[in-house]
């Protein structure tokens, strides 16, 4: 493990607000109060709880937000079939051109800047490759799973701001993904082709959990980007849970050219385990 370039010592107001809300969301109120909070949240956000425990089952608002499925969703067992890593809206997808992808139509960002210093040099290898943005709304299931068999070679935590990641900001704030705190996961598929999964934090709590890397603590006091590289890759099987957002936001997938073909439309709603494309031979 090694640390990279330091950031300023002052936390952005969005991180402070998120920490305060996080304390509320994680607090266990007396049972009658917690039931009222949970039921109110379900009604306000329009949560579909048919695949989950009843709202009163959860001991805190954060437990409700990070709820697990009661039963495993079925997925295509073909290893070449790519599945949605989460429940989400496809805010944009397309081809990486001139080192750029888009957070939404008309709002480009630099892929090297998104990846940060540790992996920015690899952005050149992504030219002509595919990108897809998975936007999670507050009503979505907020756990994330491997879209195909992954061999994870490294993870980078990049501290940053925690602006809301919603449609108005996606349309109007340039470099939203780059300014916000994020976790970059560098992995390869079975044919050793490079893919990046970028978890982007957002306002309210702002925490991202990575189950195979417990040293990562997001929206914390550290202001230094930190990289973890593995001598032996950590294998995450297709469909396997590898973490969750606590009031989180977006997953960006970047892939080398010629290795993945998406069957997705911008504005499409997808569900975890749904087939969304295929790894090319």
């Amino acid at each position: 493990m090694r640390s990279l370039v330091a950031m300023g010592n002052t936390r952005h107001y969005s991180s402070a607000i998120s920490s305060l809300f996080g304390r509320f969301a994680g607090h266990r109120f007396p049972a009658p109060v917690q039931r009222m909070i949970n039921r109110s949240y379900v009604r306000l956000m329009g949560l579909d709880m048919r695949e989950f425990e009843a709202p009163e089952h959860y001991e805190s608002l954060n437990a409700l937000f990070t709820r697990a499925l009661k039963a495993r969703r079925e997925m295509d067992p073909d290893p070449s079939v790519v599945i949605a890593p989460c429940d989400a809206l496809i805010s944009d997808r397309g081809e990486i051109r001139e080192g750029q992808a888009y957070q939404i139509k008309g709002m480009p960002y630099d892929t090297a800047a998104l990846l940060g210093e540790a992996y920015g040099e690899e952005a050149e290898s992504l030219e002509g490759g595919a990108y897809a943005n998975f936007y999670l709304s507050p009503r979505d299931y907020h756990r994330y799973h491997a879209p195909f068999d992954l061999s994870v070679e490294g993870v980078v935590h990049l501290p940053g701001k925690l602006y809301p990641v919603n449609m108005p900001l996606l349309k109007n704030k340039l470099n939203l993904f780059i300014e916000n705190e994020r976790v970059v996961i560098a992995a390869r598929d079975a044919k050793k082709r490079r893919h990046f999964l970028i978890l982007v934090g957002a306002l309210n709590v702002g925490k991202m959990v990575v189950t195979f890397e417990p040293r990562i603590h997001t929206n914390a006091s550290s202001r230094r980007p930190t990289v973890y590289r593995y001598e032996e890759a950590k294998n995450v099987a297709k469909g396997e849970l590898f973490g969750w957002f606590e009031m989180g936001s977006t997953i960006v997938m970047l892939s080398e050219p010629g290795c993945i073909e998406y069957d997705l439309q911008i504005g499409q709603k997808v569900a975890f385990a749904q087939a969304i494309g295929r790894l090319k031979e």
Side-chain angles (χ1 to χ4, degrees), residues 174-225:
L174 191 64
N175 292 328
L176 178 60
F177 292 165
I178 293 171
E179 286 199 41
N180 271 16
E181 183 169 17
R182 57 204 184 278
V183 174
V184 176
I185 298 171
R188 296 189 185 274
D189 60 27
K191 294 184 179 297
K192 307 301 181 185
R193 297 171 298 197
R194 171 63 84 204
H195 303 266
F196 290 98
L197 281 73
I198 300 96
L199 314 174
V200 184
L203 188 69
N204 290 337
V205 185
K207 291 185 178 179
M208 295 164 279
V209 173
V210 179
T211 54
F212 58 78
E213 188 43 84
R215 292 173 292 180
I216 290 177
H217 298 283
T218 59
N219 195 16
S221 58
S222 173
R223 310 309 300 151
R224 292 177 176 268

Side-chain angles (χ1 to χ4, degrees), residues 115-232:
L115 296 175
E117 183 180 338
Y119 288 104
E121 291 183 357
E122 291 196 34
E124 291 185 6
S125 69
L126 301 175
E127 187 66 26
Y131 74 90
N133 305 335
F134 299 82
Y135 164 69
L136 293 81
S137 77
R139 69 177 62 89
D140 285 321
Y141 167 66
H142 268 65
R143 297 189 172 211
Y144 32 82
H145 304 251
F148 44 86
D149 291 343
L150 297 172
S151 294
V152 178
E153 297 180 340
V155 181
V156 182
H157 171 218
L158 295 163
K161 301 167 185 174
L162 286 169
Y163 289 120
V165 176
N166 52 34
M167 287 303 162
L169 267 291
L170 286 170
K171 292 176 181 177
N172 293 287
K173 184 164 183 56
L174 191 64
N175 292 328
L176 178 60
F177 292 165
I178 293 171
E179 286 199 41
N180 271 16
E181 183 169 17
R182 57 204 184 278
V183 174
V184 176
I185 298 171
R188 296 189 185 274
D189 60 27
K191 294 184 179 297
K192 307 301 181 185
R193 297 171 298 197
R194 171 63 84 204
H195 303 266
F196 290 98
L197 281 73
I198 300 96
L199 314 174
V200 184
L203 188 69
N204 290 337
V205 185
K207 291 185 178 179
M208 295 164 279
V209 173
V210 179
T211 54
F212 58 78
E213 188 43 84
R215 292 173 292 180
I216 290 177
H217 298 283
T218 59
N219 195 16
S221 58
S222 173
R223 310 309 300 151
R224 292 177 176 268
T226 309
V227 59
Y228 306 91
R229 297 189 190 274
Y230 308 121
E231 292 184 7
E232 292 188 12

